Amino acid sequence: GEILGVAGLVGAGRTEVMRAVFGADPHDSGEILVHGDPVAIKSPDDAVRHGIGYLSEDRKRYGLALPMDVEANVVMASLARFTGKLGWIQFKSTHAKALEHVEGLAIKTPSVGQRTKNLSGGNQQKVVIAKWLTADTEILIFDEPTRGIDDGAKSEIYKLLNELAAQGRAIIMISSE
């Protein structure tokens, strides 16, 4: 239910520390606690299993599959939840989840079938947020969440961060602003 700010100059190691917490980079020492209990996080899969999501400062490179549509991007971190007994993807469920987040996050897109590369920077950032909300992450690490988006979208992202904290999610925000 809180937002923790991690600030510093570019190159100070903010991103590297958070990538280590997420399991994307190795760490030499330290302890990671989730709900007060120590957890072993050696990979991003481990982090997601423990309810941690990471929104990279480079959403186009690490956060999205730009040629894919909004629906695919929203469910990609939790695709196993949308497969049936034989491994088939339940497209009615993926479609409904994507629509839920498009409406709930006010993502401006003509449809969930729109390619993510055709969205504005702010709306692409919201798709990344939708991906981690679909994965039911309780701890969200935002690395420079307003980088490369216009002032109106920045305001929307800040409002959304506050709403997520009010819902009880833990937000860690890395920023140089």
Side-chain angles (χ1 to χ4, degrees):
E2 295 181 344
I3 299 174
L4 170 68
V6 178
L9 298 173
V10 174
R14 306 162 310 167
T15 296
E16 291 77 7
V17 169
M18 290 302 129
R19 284 181 51 88
V21 167
F22 186 64
D25 291 338
H27 60 276
D28 297 328
S29 63
E31 188 175 37
I32 300 169
L33 306 173
V34 175
H35 297 293
D37 298 321
V39 295
I41 297 178
K42 297 193 183 326
S43 71
D45 279 343
D46 292 340
V48 173
R49 268 194 298 283
H50 290 291
I52 302 171
Y54 178 78
L55 293 87
S56 171
E57 64 184 322
D58 188 351
R59 70 180 164 270
K60 291 181 179 183
R61 187 169 175 196
Y62 297 115
L64 296 168
L66 289 172
M68 297 175 76
D69 60 31
V70 171
E71 182 175 335
N73 275 278
V74 166
V75 300
M76 73 170 45
S78 51
L79 196 55
R81 291 185 187 165
F82 297 97
T83 56
K85 292 177 184 177
L86 298 175
W88 295 93
I89 297 172
Q90 298 170 339
F91 288 107
K92 273 187 169 179
S93 298
T94 62
H95 190 76
K97 183 55 77 174
L99 283 175
E100 174 188 326
H101 286 305
V102 163
E103 291 171 12
L105 298 174
I107 299 171
K108 294 177 183 83
T109 181
S111 75
V112 296
Q114 175 72 14
R115 288 180 188 241
T116 310
K117 70 179 182 181
N118 295 332
L119 301 179
S120 70
N123 286 300
Q124 287 178 352
Q125 188 72 310
K126 290 179 187 179
V127 171
V128 178
I129 294 168
K131 173 178 74 172
W132 292 117
L133 294 178
T134 300
D136 287 332
T137 52
E138 298 177 77
I139 302 165
L140 292 165
I141 303 169
F142 287 82
D143 193 349
E144 297 284 358
T146 58
R147 180 179 173 200
I149 59 177
D150 65 52
D151 287 338
K154 281 183 185 184
S155 177
E156 285 184 54
I157 296 294
Y158 288 140
K159 180 181 174 201
L160 180 58
L161 292 175
N162 285 318
E163 288 172 2
L164 293 170
Q167 293 170 10
R169 295 181 196 270
I171 307 296
I172 301 171
M173 185 174 120
I174 304 167
S175 181
S176 58
E177 291 185 10

